[in-house]
């Protein structure tokens, strides 16, 4: 009986060692944080409610495989004429700034690819009804 238990434990240890050497599937870890708001328009005509939604990915993998290669907040009902995005590193140094909605490809101001790390973002945006929003958070650049 002891030999069976020892063999079973040995198999578990070997299996866990093989799993540790496998590269994690980072694309499956990426989710979206969502902010949504619905407006009711008071008028005598029939107008559907205007919805504002903002989706921010929690990470991306700029490895050229066609999946999550860019970090790009998505939105619905955004007035892109008044939009500001800053991306910064863990020390607070601003890496890139955008004044229009854009895709971040994981390259710093010097044009070189960045190492795997957690970055911060700060977004100021306005919806089509003229209401301003501020979003801040972090996301991960996976390799």
């Amino acid at each position: 009986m002891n030999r069976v238990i020892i063999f079973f434990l040995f198999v578990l240890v070997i299996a866990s060692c093989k799993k540790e050497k496998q590269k994690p599937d980072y694309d499956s870890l990426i989710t979206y944080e969502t902010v949504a708001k619905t407006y009711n328009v008071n008028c005598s005509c029939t107008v559907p409610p205007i919805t504002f939604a903002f989706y921010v990915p929690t990470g991306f993998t700029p490895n050229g495989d066609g999946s999550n290669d860019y970090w790009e907040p998505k939105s619905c009902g955004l007035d892109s004429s008044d939009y500001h995005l800053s991306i910064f590193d863990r020390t607070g140094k601003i890496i890139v700034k955008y004044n229009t909605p854009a895709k971040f490809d994981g390259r710093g101001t010097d044009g070189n690819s960045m190492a795997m790390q957690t970055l911060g973002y700060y977004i100021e945006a306005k919806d089509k009804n003229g209401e301003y929003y501020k979003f801040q958070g972090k996301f991960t650049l996976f390799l």
Side-chain angles (χ1 to χ4, degrees):
M1 183 70 174
N2 287 340
R3 287 183 179 180
V4 172
I5 293 172
I6 290 172
F7 178 75
F8 182 69
L9 291 173
F10 178 74
V11 170
L12 284 176
V13 169
I14 296 298
S16 67
C17 289
K18 286 184 178 180
K19 286 182 182 177
E20 288 177 9
K21 291 181 181 178
Q22 294 175 348
K23 184 178 178 186
D25 180 15
Y26 293 121
D27 289 334
S28 66
L29 299 174
I30 297 170
T31 58
Y32 285 85
E33 295 176 12
T34 308
V35 174
K37 188 171 185 180
T38 302
Y39 296 95
N40 292 320
V41 179
N42 295 325
C43 67
S44 59
C45 57
T46 305
V47 177
I50 300 169
T51 302
F52 174 75
F54 204 80
Y55 308 96
V56 181
T58 59
F60 74 117
T61 57
N63 55 9
D65 68 351
S67 177
N68 294 317
D69 286 332
Y70 299 96
W71 183 80
E72 178 185 19
K74 306 256 185 196
S75 61
C76 174
L78 177 74
D79 178 3
S80 61
S81 67
D82 196 356
Y83 179 89
H84 306 282
L85 165 63
S86 298
I87 298 175
F88 49 91
D89 64 13
R90 64 183 174 87
T91 65
K93 178 184 171 194
I94 294 179
I95 296 169
V96 290
K97 284 181 120 176
Y98 298 106
N99 289 322
T100 59
K103 294 179 180 181
F104 176 58
D105 63 359
R107 298 182 188 274
T109 54
D110 59 1
N112 293 327
S113 295
M114 301 172 66
M116 184 161 66
Q117 61 186 298
T118 299
L119 300 169
Y121 67 87
Y122 180 77
I123 301 172
E124 292 179 350
K126 182 173 82 168
D127 67 13
K128 292 186 178 183
N129 288 328
E131 187 168 340
Y132 284 90
Y133 297 88
K134 294 180 183 180
F135 304 100
Q136 60 187 12
K138 60 186 175 184
F139 64 96
T140 305
L141 185 158
F142 294 105
L143 294 178

